[in-house]
Amino acid sequence: MSLTCLNCRSVVEAAEGSSPARCSVCGGELVVLGDAWLQWKGPDSEGKKLLLGHMSIGRLSSRDLVLKHREVSKHHASIIRRRGHWVLRDEHSSNGTYVNGKRVFEHALADGDKIDIGGFELLFHSGRAPDSVGAVTIVPSSGSADSIRASVRCEPGGFKPASQVSSDEELRQDYERLRLAYQFHQYMASERDSNNLLKNILNLAFELVPADRGVILLREEEGAPLSPSVTLHRYQPDAPIVIPDSILRHSVEDRTAVLSADAMQDLRFQKSESVINAQVRSAMCVPLVAQREVVGAMHLDTQEQTGAFSVKDLQLLSILAGQAAILVERVRLNRKLDRQEEVRTRLARFLAPEVLREVVERGMDLDTEGRTGTVTVLFCDIRGFTPMVESMEPRVLLPLLNAFFKRMVDVVFTHGGVLDKFIGDALMAVWGAPLCRSDDARRAVAAGLDMIAEVKSLNEVNEGQGLPTLEVGIGINTGEAVIGTVGSPRRMEYTVLGDAVNLASRVCDLSKGQQMLITASTLESAAVGVPKPPRVKRLEPAKVRGRKKAVHVFEVLGL
């Protein structure tokens, strides 16, 4: 049984049932590799991670577990090992840390505990992690020296034109790249599951080079730390794998494929305790270099042979890593496209097509947006709806209401507005969020006039079917509002809040059937950049609920 010191990271072998309590090197606590793990799922990511000593959790990419969500603090929580127990500790987060539905500040975790952090749900497991987690430890080193046994520079790129190939050796290298690429695509052709694809890559690597253990590490997203994704062991499938970070860092930071024919005696890693503790005799580490960044790394090693790997092995692995990087980038791109499609589907009910298209093209994340800005808010309400409900059967009322809302929403979208919400027999629409235009107020006024015209058209249809006549009152206001997504992790809504919204609702309450009222701020905004302002009739200042001073309102007669 392998034990790891949480202090100096020494690895100690002990017989089952007779494990020492303390490290013989520094006296630190010894733990079983992979004796606990986390499984998480959230808005944009999911995964599994072993607990090996202290784990920091937060929104920053420097955290051990990165959870990208606006409700997650930069340094939200930590999980530490204390007196044989795993302890969850809240790090003064803004939105709190919850275990099994209760907010906690410090909590000793038990198997099956459900942790809620922001929009993420984490499940704590004690005991051996499944193979999909991969019992991989990246062990810190104390330094490195200068010499290099062998290295290959890894950068994305294509083949030279035939006229630029200068030697037979270069031609042979290009042929080898093509041969390996063909073999790679044979492995990958019939597989669509990303985890199985990565396993196939390791299987192919094991066919090409005499490795005993292999790991592929990936970044969950750009800038995030590397985390083990899949592992492969030639002889001991359940055995833990320890990666010296001295080799890993050198490879990733320099974008260089590194070969150490005998890592324990390589001058470059001579001072590295991590290599000694891992008992790595020969190792190769190759970065997965995509177009913009290093998206991952592949580490192969052996404990049995000195000089097991050759420079040719390193070149082959570099070619394989190049193909793997293309695959990983493709998977990430597909995930991005899937998320965009989810965003399109979710927002298509609320945003006009032109607004939705621009939101997606700009990559705007409405789930994390929080700001203040100038908006124009429109409320449209059916007059006399309550008596109508009392006198009509639901099977007649609901189709009538749906026909009304369909026409009103079409008008909102035609004028580039956003459907904020339905409120009983009323609807709220917004211009100025998420996109701000100079003519937002004028668009809203034009939409209000078209709504009145559409209601008249709908009434002509309803009259022929013996249905009641509808009348609407419309109120519009322009002002500063809070713009963002509110709600709970179960249901979030993009909306605008504040006094500007409240005043628009109050003005709507003042309007009569087939009448649209606007405030002075909307009239002023709708007149900007056009030859003529809207045609209006000034009304007497009106008292509205929640305001001490009377409000100047205007009835819109036309544009």
Side-chain angles (χ1 to χ4, degrees):
M1 175 176 63
S2 296
L3 302 174
T4 299
C5 175
L6 293 180
N7 183 36
C8 71
R9 298 291 181 171
S10 296
V11 178
V12 177
E13 294 297 328
E16 291 287 345
S18 61
S19 57
R22 291 290 170 179
C23 173
S24 59
V25 177
C26 70
E29 182 181 1
L30 294 171
V31 298
V32 179
L33 287 174
D35 74 332
W37 55 288
L38 283 179
Q39 182 178 10
W40 77 89
K41 186 173 184 180
D44 300 318
S45 65
E46 57 183 87
K48 304 179 182 74
K49 201 174 186 73
L50 292 173
L51 288 172
L52 298 163
H54 180 277
M55 174 188 282
S56 59
I57 303 172
R59 198 171 69 244
L60 289 182
S61 58
S62 58
R63 302 303 169 212
D64 299 314
L65 178 56
V66 181
L67 304 178
K68 292 288 188 181
H69 194 273
R70 67 184 185 87
E71 292 192 8
V72 179
S73 298
K74 294 178 180 178
H75 186 190
H76 196 107
S78 298
I79 297 179
I80 60 175
R81 184 82 174 187
R82 182 188 296 164
R83 292 189 292 276
H85 297 284
W86 292 104
V87 178
L88 173 68
R89 186 171 63 198
D90 183 82
E91 301 291 350
H92 308 289
S93 64
S94 299
N95 294 309
T97 301
Y98 295 80
V99 176
N100 302 326
K102 296 181 179 180
R103 184 165 186 171
V104 300
F105 297 94
E106 190 165 291
H107 178 81
L109 293 169
D111 185 48
D113 275 351
K114 187 180 296 184
I115 305 167
D116 292 314
I117 294 180
F120 290 82
E121 182 180 279
L122 299 88
L123 196 61
F124 174 81
H125 300 273
S126 62
R128 168 68 66 182
D131 292 341
S132 59
V133 177
V136 178
T137 310
I138 301 174
V139 189
S141 60
S142 56
S144 61
D146 299 320
S147 75
I148 293 179
R149 169 69 177 174
S151 66
V152 174
R153 185 70 175 172
C154 297
E155 290 291 353
F159 292 90
K160 293 181 180 179
S163 59
Q164 296 181 15
V165 177
S166 58
S167 65
D168 291 344
E169 178 61 27
E170 189 173 2
L171 187 62
R172 279 193 293 271
Q173 290 175 359
D174 283 349
Y175 171 78
E176 186 65 16
R177 291 169 63 194
L178 283 172
R179 185 189 69 82
L180 188 55
Y182 173 75
Q183 193 172 352
F184 177 90
H185 286 292
Q186 278 189 316
Y187 263 82
M188 305 303 132
S190 60
E191 186 58 66
R192 291 294 177 265
D193 181 82
S194 59
N195 197 58
N196 288 337
L197 285 170
L198 294 174
K199 287 181 179 178
N200 284 344
I201 293 171
L202 279 181
N203 285 325
L204 179 55
F206 271 44
E207 288 188 12
L208 296 170
V209 300
D212 294 335
R213 307 179 302 183
V215 182
I216 292 181
L217 306 99
L218 298 179
R219 301 188 194 278
E220 292 178 17
E221 58 184 32
E222 188 172 345
L226 291 172
S227 297
S229 183
V230 295
T231 63
L232 184 63
H233 203 300
R234 193 182 295 274
Y235 303 114
Q236 297 174 283
D238 296 329
I241 298 175
V242 180
I243 301 177
D245 78 338
S246 50
I247 297 175
L248 183 62
R249 276 190 293 106
H250 184 91
S251 176
V252 172
E253 291 175 3
D254 293 349
R255 294 191 172 203
T256 302
V258 176
L259 164 63
S260 176
D262 189 338
M264 291 185 67
Q265 299 192 19
D266 191 324
L267 291 177
R268 226 167 6 116
F269 311 115
Q270 194 175 55
K271 298 179 181 179
S272 173
E273 284 185 17
S274 64
V275 174
I276 298 170
N277 292 338
Q279 294 294 305
V280 176
R281 305 299 305 186
S282 297
M284 291 189 294
C285 191
V286 183
L288 308 185
V289 183
Q291 292 298 322
R292 292 188 303 171
E293 63 158 343
V294 176
V295 297
M298 189 181 339
H299 176 91
L300 301 181
D301 66 34
T302 175
Q303 296 174 292
E304 302 299 328
Q305 305 176 54
T306 298
F309 303 133
S310 66
V311 174
K312 182 179 179 181
D313 292 332
L314 188 65
Q315 292 171 337
L316 288 174
L317 197 63
S318 300
I319 298 168
L320 184 59
Q323 297 293 318
I326 295 172
L327 170 66
V328 170
E329 194 167 40
R330 187 185 73 194
V331 169
R332 287 170 60 170
L333 177 59
N334 287 339
R335 286 177 180 170
K336 182 179 180 181
L337 293 175
D338 288 343
R339 287 197 296 268
Q340 287 183 351
E341 186 57 34
E342 288 176 6
V343 170
R344 284 181 181 274
T345 302
R346 180 164 53 88
L347 297 182
R349 295 174 296 167
F350 308 104
L351 304 184
E354 62 180 277
V355 178
L356 175 59
R357 183 168 54 252
E358 192 165 349
V359 165
V360 174
E361 287 176 355
R362 290 188 186 184
M364 298 174 67
D365 186 358
L366 302 189
D367 288 337
T368 59
E369 183 179 25
R371 62 183 177 90
T372 59
T374 300
V375 297
T376 298
V377 183
L378 177 151
F379 280 87
C380 176
D381 184 27
I382 298 177
R383 294 293 174 250
F385 183 72
T386 301
M388 191 183 303
V389 171
E390 294 175 351
S391 62
M392 294 181 65
E393 294 183 11
R395 63 182 181 84
V396 178
L397 177 64
L398 289 178
L400 174 64
L401 194 58
N402 287 334
F404 165 75
F405 278 136
K406 181 183 183 304
R407 291 190 180 225
M408 298 303 100
V409 172
D410 287 345
V411 170
V412 172
F413 284 1
T414 297
H415 293 277
V418 173
L419 173 64
D420 189 288
K421 60 176 67 71
F422 296 113
I423 313 167
D425 61 319
L427 68 82
M428 171 183 165
V430 179
W431 283 258
L435 303 178
C436 181
R437 299 181 176 91
S438 60
D439 62 343
D440 281 329
R442 194 170 183 87
R443 286 171 180 257
V445 172
L449 291 171
D450 282 355
M451 284 178 173
I452 293 174
E454 280 295 321
V455 171
K456 291 180 180 177
S457 174
L458 178 61
N459 283 334
E460 293 176 1
V461 176
N462 290 343
E463 185 178 355
Q465 300 176 356
L467 296 173
T469 298
L470 300 179
E471 290 190 340
V472 295
I474 297 173
I476 304 177
N477 180 48
T478 302
E480 287 288 311
V482 176
I483 303 167
T485 304
V486 298
S488 74
R490 293 180 180 273
R491 180 175 178 179
M492 307 292 289
E493 288 187 349
Y494 184 78
T495 188
V496 296
L497 305 166
D499 184 62
V501 180
N502 297 336
L503 182 55
S505 177
R506 303 291 183 264
V507 171
C508 179
D509 292 342
L510 296 173
S511 62
K512 300 176 182 178
Q514 308 301 77
Q515 184 184 46
M516 176 169 57
L517 302 182
I518 64 175
T519 61
S521 59
T522 298
L523 178 61
E524 181 181 353
S525 298
V528 174
V530 294
K532 295 181 180 179
R535 292 187 293 109
V536 298
K537 175 183 177 182
R538 181 188 290 271
L539 303 181
E540 290 294 323
K543 289 288 293 182
V544 298
R545 182 160 48 91
R547 285 180 172 262
K548 295 181 179 179
K549 294 184 178 180
V551 176
H552 293 282
V553 292
F554 303 83
E555 180 181 0
V556 179
L557 306 176
L559 283 177

